Amino acid sequence: MSLRLGWSNGSTEVIVGEKEVELALSSSKGRQFVVTSSAVSGAPWAARLLDVMSPACIEELPDGEKAKEVDVLLSLLKRLVGCGASRGDSLVALGGGSTLDVAGLASALYMRGMHLVNVPTTLLSASDAAVGGKNGINFAGAKNVLGTIRQPSSVMIYLPALLALPDLELRHGVPEIVKHGMTLDTSILRLLSGPPSLRDPETLKKLVVRSLSAKAEVVAQDEQDVFGKRIVLNYGHTVGHALEAGSGFRLHHGPSVSVGMIAEARLEVELGLADQEVLDELMSVLGRLKLPVSVSEACSQEGMGACAGFEVGVAKRALIMDKKREGAQISMPVVDRPGSWGVKQVAIADLQGALEGAWGGD
Ligand SMILES: NC(=O)c1ccc[n+]([C@@H]2O[C@H](COP(=O)([O-])OP(=O)(O)OC[C@H]3O[C@@H](n4cnc5c(N)ncnc54)[C@H](O)[C@@H]3O)[C@@H](O)[C@H]2O)c1
């Protein structure tokens, strides 16, 4: 299946499937330069895609977050020069959100912009990072501080890649889908009732398409992130980012957002900013999907290494450093009832209390 997402000055074609994606990649007009990671390129489904593309050059980045570094970006740009890439060629990003973030920035910089084709291979990148245009690398100890906003020419969601994901990696993508359901499109919550089998290609396809479409609708209203609309995509992320920081970024983004949504919703109900229905719905959907609702649950699901040496002080300081902070408050998205949201000021001290409360469980 395919759909077209419209932007102020262009559009992105999204293709979801198996043969459809192979066909689209094999019939690309210009030359293709593939950016992938060592952990992805060896998979049989990746070999199949590389085979249909016959890329002019392939660059393998370090795995995961280690790819989002300046020296990795520079060596990728040098490789594009060395391979003779031109502006009309396509940079194909084949991998998870980390690969897409670096490749997106390289494609924006190289010759002031070459075509970008995102081929997300994790559920998180397929249902979230692949559209929206934000790219970036980490710099001077801070996450995503160097980057641009530039939409991909196309997004190819190759179902065999998603179906090959290990269970834990597949589950890492679900909290962002729940976030899109709670904030923007409650029909996603209905799809998640059941609960669905994430190993069923049709279900996976529906979840990814609804999730991407919901995100794209918000992005289209505020592509350059200047009107404050995109803030809704941060639901659960204020506490979630603080938890990631407290764990030294060993706790994955997905479970951090899962616990973040619960901690924020519980506080917002206490403050009278949200209906109890919000917390009940979140507890029920996350519980059915066996996603963590407390830090201790997240740590045990992820394995002890994820939380070894967790520093609550670092997590609390991360709230003070939050980009949305205004004085002693943080301006953040609040869901008052499922599918309805607004921006509210919440005291940092209250959020720090919510973070401490998130550790112990319900
Ligand atoms: N630009 C955006 O809008 C946006 C949105 C959300 C997240 N992000 C970024 O995305 C990154 C996280 O993305 P992620 O969760 O995809 O992580 P990731 O890219 O680090 O990938 C996670 C792991 O999965 C492996 N992997 C990838 N595809 C696989 C497959 N099909 N089978 C088996 N293993 C596979 C990778 O090798 C890696 O070890 C973060 O850096 C985050 O900042 C960006």
Side-chain angles (χ1 to χ4, degrees):
M1 73 174 291
S2 72
L3 63 148
R4 192 165 280 281
L5 307 173
W7 315 115
S8 55
N9 60 353
S11 64
T12 297
E13 185 179 30
V14 181
I15 299 180
V16 191
E18 181 171 358
K19 295 288 169 223
E20 303 92 314
V21 169
E22 291 172 5
L23 182 66
L25 286 173
S26 67
S27 46
S28 158
K29 284 198 196 90
R31 290 176 306 161
Q32 290 168 311
F33 295 79
V34 173
V35 183
T36 185
S37 86
S38 44
V40 162
S41 59
W45 52 263
R48 216 154 54 232
L49 284 186
L50 292 172
D51 195 41
V52 299
M53 281 188 270
S54 331
C57 265
I58 302 175
E59 176 75 353
E60 283 190 0
L61 309 183
D63 193 36
E65 204 68 19
K66 291 191 291 295
K68 294 177 59 167
E69 295 295 333
V70 170
D71 54 345
V72 174
L73 173 73
L74 293 180
S75 58
L76 169 57
L77 292 168
K78 273 190 200 142
R79 188 76 201 285
L80 289 172
V81 175
C83 291
S86 67
R87 211 163 175 256
D89 295 328
S90 296
L91 194 60
V92 180
L94 174 66
S98 310
T99 303
L100 267 52
D101 272 0
V102 187
L105 181 53
S107 77
L109 293 173
Y110 189 76
M111 299 204 172
R112 300 201 180 99
M114 65 189 291
H115 300 296
L116 173 67
V117 177
N118 277 339
V119 187
T121 62
T122 59
L123 184 56
L124 186 140
S125 55
S127 53
D128 187 347
V131 303
K134 287 193 178 177
N135 55 51
I137 57 169
N138 306 328
F139 186 65
K143 206 169 144 76
N144 295 334
V145 279
L146 299 186
T148 68
I149 300 180
R150 184 168 175 271
Q151 301 298 342
S153 310
S154 51
V155 173
M156 310 271 169
I157 295 170
Y158 194 50
L159 288 177
L162 302 185
L163 292 167
L165 282 165
D167 280 346
L168 189 66
E169 203 52 66
L170 194 61
R171 287 153 47 81
H172 282 164
V174 185
E176 297 284 11
I177 299 177
V178 172
K179 177 196 78 179
H180 290 147
M182 283 302 292
T183 52
L184 302 167
D185 178 1
T186 50
S187 78
I188 295 175
L189 298 176
R190 287 194 288 282
L191 271 182
L192 289 171
S193 66
S197 162
L198 297 175
R199 296 279 172 201
D200 170 48
E202 281 309 308
T203 308
L204 206 52
K205 204 192 271 188
K206 272 190 207 150
L207 282 171
V208 167
V209 168
R210 295 259 186 106
S211 192
L212 281 185
S213 308
K215 176 173 177 179
E217 211 171 300
V218 169
V219 171
Q221 294 169 37
D222 189 9
E223 259 185 271
Q224 295 304 314
D225 204 7
V226 288
F227 305 121
K229 298 268 187 205
R230 286 179 80 144
I231 197 174
V232 65
L233 303 172
N234 242 271
Y235 185 60
H237 285 56
T238 307
V239 172
H241 280 152
L243 292 173
E244 284 183 84
S247 73
F249 293 96
R250 283 184 289 273
L251 189 58
H252 193 274
H253 185 71
S256 303
V257 168
S258 184
V259 178
M261 287 191 286
I262 290 288
E264 290 178 17
R266 185 175 289 130
L267 172 64
E268 287 152 10
V269 171
E270 272 167 31
L271 296 174
L273 300 174
D275 287 350
Q276 176 67 33
E277 188 197 347
V278 173
L279 186 56
D280 294 346
E281 178 69 42
L282 272 174
M283 288 299 273
S284 130
V285 68
L286 296 174
R288 275 198 306 270
L289 294 160
K290 302 206 167 28
L291 291 168
V293 296
S294 69
V295 182
S296 29
E297 221 173 58
C299 297
S300 68
Q301 286 183 9
E302 293 290 302
M304 285 325 285
C307 297
F310 189 100
E311 293 193 61
V312 178
V314 171
K316 285 173 145 185
R317 272 198 300 283
L319 287 170
I320 299 169
M321 301 299 289
D322 194 289
K323 280 188 282 224
K324 307 180 297 304
R325 181 171 76 93
E326 289 166 14
Q329 300 193 309
I330 292 180
S331 193
M332 54 191 271
V334 170
V335 171
D336 51 356
R337 60 191 153 73
S340 156
W341 67 280
V343 178
K344 294 278 178 334
Q345 301 279 322
V346 179
I348 292 177
D350 286 341
L351 283 160
Q352 289 177 329
L355 192 142
E356 277 179 355
W359 192 270
D362 58 17

